[in-house]
Amino acid sequence: MMQQTKHMFQPMLIGLRTLATRGVTTTTAAAPAKIEKTVNNVTILGRVGADPQLRGSQEHPVVTFSVATHTNYKYENGDWAQRTDWHRVVVFKPNLRDTVLEYLKKGQRTMVQGKITYGEITDQQGNQKTSTSIIADDVLFFRDAHN
């Protein structure tokens, strides 16, 4: 049974190893003969870095905010350290967008569920920069016990 499971996951492991070398492509050809199921889910739990901001245009509004998560680890000498990661979250869903903009505040604990996406942003000097964002499907709000 174990040998069969190993072979079943072999194509996935090869894909994960080569993922970093592949670029993102978009095709507009006809639908493939076989459509595979794929999964792109991310869940983060952390603190909001700044009050959410309304961006985009009136026709295509988007709310953005950042969430900090951290990892604690221990050095061999016994000292502890903490690494903080910042995540850019974008909200397109109209009702969720309005709720996040009105009620989510800097420092508040939140859980975001969504999809991770990669793209490019052109800065004010015209330079292209890669961007990683989480497109929120759901945002949960938490109150601190002392508030």
Side-chain angles (χ1 to χ4, degrees), residues 26-56:
T26 305
T27 59
T28 56
K34 180 182 176 187
I35 299 176
E36 294 182 334
K37 172 75 174 158
T38 63
V39 177
N40 178 357
N41 290 326
V42 62
T43 301
I44 59 171
L45 173 65
R47 298 241 176 224
V48 178
D51 287 347
Q53 296 181 348
L54 180 61
R55 296 179 179 245

Side-chain angles (χ1 to χ4, degrees), residues 48 50-54 63-66 97 100-106:
V48 178
D51 287 347
Q53 296 181 348
L54 180 61
V63 168
T64 64
F65 63 97
S66 60
R97 185 182 60 224
V100 164
L101 190 59
E102 185 173 349
Y103 295 108
L104 195 64
K105 302 298 176 202
K106 177 181 177 176

Side-chain angles (χ1 to χ4, degrees), residues 73-81:
Y73 55 96
K74 188 176 184 179
Y75 289 109
E76 288 181 11
N77 67 5
D79 291 342
W80 283 91

Side-chain angles (χ1 to χ4, degrees), residues 3-145:
Q3 191 67 21
Q4 181 182 8
T5 303
K6 182 179 176 184
H7 290 299
M8 183 174 69
F9 289 110
Q10 194 67 28
M12 183 170 67
L13 293 174
I14 292 168
L16 289 174
R17 285 187 205 116
T18 59
L19 184 63
T21 62
R22 294 183 184 169
V24 177
T25 58
T26 305
T27 59
T28 56
K34 180 182 176 187
I35 299 176
E36 294 182 334
K37 172 75 174 158
T38 63
V39 177
N40 178 357
N41 290 326
V42 62
T43 301
I44 59 171
L45 173 65
R47 298 241 176 224
V48 178
D51 287 347
Q53 296 181 348
L54 180 61
R55 296 179 179 245
S57 64
Q58 195 163 8
E59 298 83 29
H60 303 287
V62 60
V63 168
T64 64
F65 63 97
S66 60
V67 175
T69 60
H70 66 267
T71 304
N72 295 316
Y73 55 96
K74 188 176 184 179
Y75 289 109
E76 288 181 11
N77 67 5
D79 291 342
W80 283 91
Q82 185 177 77
R83 175 185 171 180
T84 302
D85 292 308
W86 289 95
H87 309 275
R88 181 176 190 264
V89 180
V90 294
V91 185
F92 293 103
K93 290 182 171 181
N95 291 336
L96 182 59
R97 185 182 60 224
D98 297 341
T99 303
V100 164
L101 190 59
E102 185 173 349
Y103 295 108
L104 195 64
K105 302 298 176 202
K106 177 181 177 176
Q108 189 172 2
R109 194 159 161 84
T110 187
M111 185 166 79
V112 177
Q113 295 176 319
K115 297 170 186 65
I116 195 160
T117 186
Y118 305 93
E120 291 184 340
I121 296 175
T122 304
D123 65 15
Q124 294 175 343
Q125 290 77 28
N127 302 319
Q128 293 278 84
K129 296 187 176 198
T130 58
S131 161
T132 304
S133 300
I134 297 170
I135 300 174
D137 289 324
D138 199 9
V139 178
L140 302 177
F141 302 70
F142 296 96
R143 285 192 197 178
D144 288 327

